[in-house]
Amino acid sequence: MILLLCLAVLAVWTIIFRYRRRRMYQLAALVPTSKEELPVIGIAHTLVGNTEEIMNSLQRFSYVAMEHNGIMRGWLNHILYFVLINPIDVEMVLKTCLEKDDLHRFIRKITGYGGIFAPVTIWRRRRKILLPAFSPKIVENFVEVFSEQSEKLTKLLATQSDHGKFSIWPFITSYTLDSVCETAMGVKVNAQGNPNCSFLKALNLVLNLICERIFHLWLQPDWLYKFFPQYYRQQKCVDELNGFTDKVIENKREELKNEKKCKTEADHHYDLGNYQKKTFLDLLISLSGGENGYNNVQLREEILTLTVAGTDTSAVAICYTLMLLGKYPKIQMKLFEELDEVFGESDRPLEKDDLQKLKYLDRVVKESLRLFPPVPFIIRKVLEDIKLPSSGYTLPAGCGVVVSIWGAHRDPRYWGPDAEMFDPDRFLPERFNLKYPCSFMPFSNGPRNCLGYQYALMSVKTALSAVLRRYRVVGENEHSNAPRIRVKLDIMMKAVDGYQVALERRSKTVA
Ligand code: HEM
């Protein structure tokens, strides 16, 4: 009897629930979907399994969208998502849907309300404050740090060169963490050279735990998560990251107090010129209003956000590029020629003016970011109905949109029949004439795009140039021009094999 009553209540509740959302169901039904969709659960069964299987499902859905004018619908149980790759529609979505999907709430355990994952009301003000800190004049001064850290990297790689294959990931991620920490906080965490660096360990572990939580429904409710050992491990990591950052902030406050004592009134007038040698922490304190600006928690949130946003992303970009060069020796050879032209026999560190001259390297990095974008998907919430300008479908309020950067970058409609091929010269000025900006968006597009893209490109190119001046990457030669690398979705899109490459010491010049 009780069972029957429960079933009746459930049935009534379902009918009311569906009736209230009838418009959503009607609009969703108009949009093509995958053959894999099942009743009730939709495509939820395709997003279980390991992170490689999840990535493969999302890739398949991007291809389904490609076949249907750049859009596909997918129910994740009762939650409606659209996968979008049409660049005209994507541009509109990235301009109008600024709120991040609820899945990002897990990353807020580390970054709090730091810009990247914050709700729009908080993000707007924080982005305004952060924006001037990423002006090209400021960012190009960081090249000195990238250059110094890259030199360290090449020395550490010497232990692995001529010894066959190894995973280059830990070396590169330590380089990017060292660079980000020095430019963001002005501290040398020395992750390179110290594989037990507690900051790096905590950062890696907490990102893995968050990723696990995103893809395992039973780990998602906060009250339930507390019963799992992962909760305590996450807390420990967060405490480690917060403790370290708080200490740096306190020291900086103290330093500024002492500086202020020694300064005259006239010194307090500052312009961009005065900011140039500062770290992001200095800049955030000044730009948010000095002593009346951000408090220590807000500063910590912003600094940890930059650390999370800037470490693995750039490391992934460097690692894929190295793997691709290992697969295509002719392209690598062309790069050696350019590097030898710029640096000759000299062992001098790279300077910011060198980056302008490395035009082929620039094309190689862009092509690598096209085929293997570190952030392959962006998920946004739709708060009000939007009619898509190209496909004409309406995205109903309450759904989520998965912008597939991965799919947009491989759509033959915009990249031609050789879209899957690795061809850096497609970025030659005379060949590169993309009609729509959202056909190429490794750093996203619109008001919430990546603030660190110039920083990232400089850091990535500096590290690549340092490694390739000393070493030849030896990988598995690819017989087709379409590179195959097994990938997984580990917050970022990473190679399953941990980026296995071999390095051989290069003789000074190609000749
Ligand atoms: C190759 C390296 C990188 C890639 C591929 C990348 C990609 C992205 C993408 C796709 C977004 C936007 C997400 C969205 O639209 O919802 C983003 C946001 C952001 N990135 Fe990057 N990023 C990289 C490196 C960096 C670095 C090095 C920094 C800073 C040091 C950085 C700082 C940020 C910030 C602050 C945001 C948030 C912008 C906002 O919400 O207003 N990124 N990044």
Side-chain angles (χ1 to χ4, degrees):
M1 184 64 189
I2 291 177
L3 185 67
L4 274 181
L5 195 66
C6 288
L7 285 175
V9 170
L10 189 68
V12 172
W13 182 84
T14 310
I15 290 166
I16 295 172
F17 180 74
R18 287 188 68 98
Y19 180 75
R20 282 201 180 141
R21 296 172 17 126
R22 64 193 180 284
R23 187 174 148 71
M24 184 185 259
Y25 289 105
Q26 282 160 3
L27 290 172
L30 300 174
V31 180
T33 186
S34 154
K35 289 191 183 99
E36 295 175 75
E37 193 178 58
L38 295 176
V40 186
I41 60 166
I43 52 165
H45 62 295
T46 65
L47 298 174
V48 289
N50 63 35
T51 49
E52 183 181 7
E53 287 161 341
I54 291 168
M55 184 66 208
N56 289 343
S57 298
L58 290 167
Q59 286 175 339
R60 282 198 308 280
F61 297 148
S62 303
Y63 284 115
V64 174
M66 237 179 253
E67 287 164 14
H68 296 101
N69 199 13
I71 187 166
M72 187 204 107
R73 165 201 92 211
W75 286 97
L76 208 57
N77 305 312
H78 63 289
I79 309 171
L80 175 61
Y81 282 100
F82 292 90
V83 177
L84 214 60
I85 64 165
N86 180 307
I88 304 168
D89 294 342
V90 165
E91 192 172 351
M92 181 175 191
V93 163
L94 291 179
K95 234 183 232 158
T96 50
C97 306
L98 299 178
E99 202 69 68
K100 301 261 167 152
D101 189 78
D102 290 338
L103 286 175
H104 293 97
R105 68 186 184 278
F106 302 120
I107 301 193
R108 287 190 200 132
K109 302 282 173 212
I110 328 176
T111 58
Y113 287 128
I116 192 164
F117 305 112
V120 168
T121 42
I122 295 173
W123 160 79
R124 259 188 221 291
R125 180 170 171 260
R126 294 214 176 177
R127 169 129 182 156
K128 221 167 149 184
I129 290 170
L130 196 54
L131 191 66
F134 280 95
S135 84
K137 275 205 160 142
I138 289 172
V139 171
E140 67 186 23
N141 278 296
F142 293 143
V143 172
E144 219 174 290
V145 174
F146 305 147
S147 196
E148 191 191 312
Q149 294 294 350
S150 306
E151 293 302 312
K152 238 188 218 173
L153 169 68
T154 58
K155 289 192 178 90
L156 287 166
L157 287 174
T159 57
Q160 303 292 327
S161 70
D162 305 318
H163 282 92
K165 276 190 176 180
F166 67 102
S167 163
I168 200 162
W169 173 253
F171 292 86
I172 304 294
T173 190
S174 305
Y175 155 76
T176 51
L177 182 72
D178 276 348
S179 303
V180 169
C181 286
E182 198 170 337
T183 52
M185 304 186 250
V187 290
K188 292 189 192 279
V189 290
N190 195 21
Q192 305 198 68
N194 176 12
N196 291 321
C197 166
S198 50
F199 192 85
L200 180 61
K201 270 186 158 174
L203 187 64
N204 281 338
L205 181 57
V206 80
L207 288 176
N208 286 343
L209 290 170
I210 286 167
C211 194
E212 185 188 17
R213 222 180 149 186
I214 289 175
F215 292 117
H216 294 92
L217 287 179
W218 59 92
L219 296 178
Q220 291 190 358
D222 278 340
W223 64 270
L224 195 56
Y225 196 52
K226 288 190 180 147
F227 292 102
F228 288 89
Q230 287 96 318
Y231 170 78
Y232 296 96
R233 290 162 70 200
Q234 175 183 291
Q235 281 311 107
K236 230 177 127 194
C237 294
V238 170
D239 289 347
E240 167 75 37
L241 297 177
N242 286 352
F244 181 85
T245 318
D246 286 346
K247 220 156 103 198
V248 174
I249 293 169
E250 276 161 30
N251 290 345
K252 177 59 68 184
R253 292 273 195 212
E254 198 59 34
E255 192 186 306
L256 290 176
K257 231 189 247 166
N258 293 337
E259 244 175 51
K260 198 175 161 193
K261 274 188 207 152
C262 314
K263 275 190 177 169
T264 64
E265 270 298 303
D267 292 331
H268 284 102
H269 171 77
Y270 34 60
D271 66 0
L272 217 61
N274 284 351
Y275 288 157
Q276 283 178 10
K277 287 281 176 196
K278 303 279 186 188
T279 62
F280 284 126
L281 178 56
D282 292 292
L283 294 166
L284 281 167
I285 292 175
S286 328
L287 293 166
S288 68
E291 282 166 14
N292 304 319
Y294 281 157
N295 60 33
N296 285 9
V297 173
Q298 290 168 320
L299 282 175
R300 182 223 290 156
E301 290 177 344
E302 289 299 324
I303 291 299
L304 284 177
T305 296
L306 291 179
T307 312
V308 171
T311 302
D312 275 10
T313 44
S314 305
V316 165
I318 297 169
C319 289
Y320 278 125
T321 310
L322 290 172
M323 267 191 119
L324 288 165
L325 291 172
K327 285 175 181 291
Y328 298 103
K330 278 190 191 153
I331 291 175
Q332 186 169 195
M333 189 58 81
K334 219 168 141 184
L335 208 46
F336 289 159
E337 283 166 16
E338 179 176 84
L339 288 167
D340 292 341
E341 224 168 79
V342 173
F343 295 99
E345 295 265 325
S346 162
D347 237 1
R348 69 173 174 83
L350 176 143
E351 289 162 14
K352 63 183 178 210
D353 292 340
D354 296 319
L355 289 174
Q356 307 293 330
K357 298 178 199 152
L358 298 170
K359 300 226 182 306
Y360 190 61
L361 177 62
D362 183 65
R363 299 205 286 279
V364 168
V365 169
K366 283 185 178 147
E367 181 66 342
S368 158
L369 287 170
R370 184 182 72 84
L371 285 176
F372 295 95
V375 182
F377 307 102
I378 295 169
I379 317 182
R380 299 279 176 89
K381 249 191 202 169
V382 177
L383 298 179
E384 286 171 14
D385 287 6
I386 326 170
K387 192 169 165 67
L388 297 176
S390 176
S391 57
Y393 295 114
T394 298
L395 306 184
C399 72
V401 188
V402 178
V403 172
S404 172
I405 297 180
W406 192 88
H409 285 187
R410 289 170 182 250
D411 191 343
R413 208 174 310 187
Y414 305 101
W415 290 97
D418 66 344
E420 304 272 348
M421 313 289 178
F422 182 61
D423 173 14
D425 281 342
R426 71 172 81 239
F427 283 94
L428 272 170
E430 58 273 28
R431 275 181 62 191
F432 186 71
N433 60 349
L434 274 191
K435 226 165 142 190
Y436 306 108
C438 288
S439 296
F440 182 61
M441 47 170 175
F443 298 103
S444 184
N445 193 278
R448 236 179 150 163
N449 73 343
C450 176
L451 272 175
Y453 77 96
Q454 283 163 316
Y455 175 112
L457 287 174
M458 288 182 195
S459 167
V460 166
K461 288 191 230 168
T462 306
L464 285 170
S465 110
V467 173
L468 295 164
R469 281 166 69 193
R470 275 85 178 188
Y471 304 103
R472 175 191 314 279
V473 187
V474 187
E476 273 164 35
N477 272 9
E478 193 79 65
H479 300 298
S480 144
N481 282 340
R484 280 162 303 135
I485 299 176
R486 283 176 59 195
V487 290
K488 58 180 180 175
L489 192 62
D490 212 353
I491 300 206
M492 255 129 265
M493 183 174 80
K494 294 183 184 157
V496 172
D497 72 357
Y499 304 95
Q500 293 283 328
V501 291
L503 295 180
E504 276 174 10
R505 261 174 225 272
R506 279 185 65 202
S507 52
K508 266 277 170 312
T509 61
V510 176

